[in-house]
Amino acid sequence: MRTLMCLVCGWIYSEERGAPDDGIAPGTRWEDIPAKWKCPECGVGKEDFEMVSI
């Protein structure tokens, strides 16, 4: 499972944890999140996220 970080605000998306408060179930792969999805912290699109190692 991958972890991605918003390059604008630093919000972390973990495929393992998902983002249940934002309607994304745990285990949801990054590519399965709709293209129109926005960062819950700052509102930027998926194009402003980068994979990170934690």
Side-chain angles (χ1 to χ4, degrees):
M1 298 246 123
R2 296 175 295 174
T3 302
L4 295 103
M5 181 178 73
C6 177
L7 297 174
V8 175
C9 72
W11 187 80
I12 300 290
Y13 176 74
S14 164
E15 290 181 334
E16 184 176 352
R17 291 181 309 205
D21 292 342
D22 300 297
I24 301 173
T28 301
R29 296 181 319 175
W30 182 248
E31 52 272 3
D32 294 334
I33 296 173
K36 65 180 181 173
W37 180 83
K38 302 290 183 196
C39 175
E41 292 293 318
C42 69
V44 299
K46 288 177 65 177
E47 65 277 359
D48 290 313
F49 278 74
E50 187 173 287
M51 193 170 9
V52 294
S53 295
I54 295 179

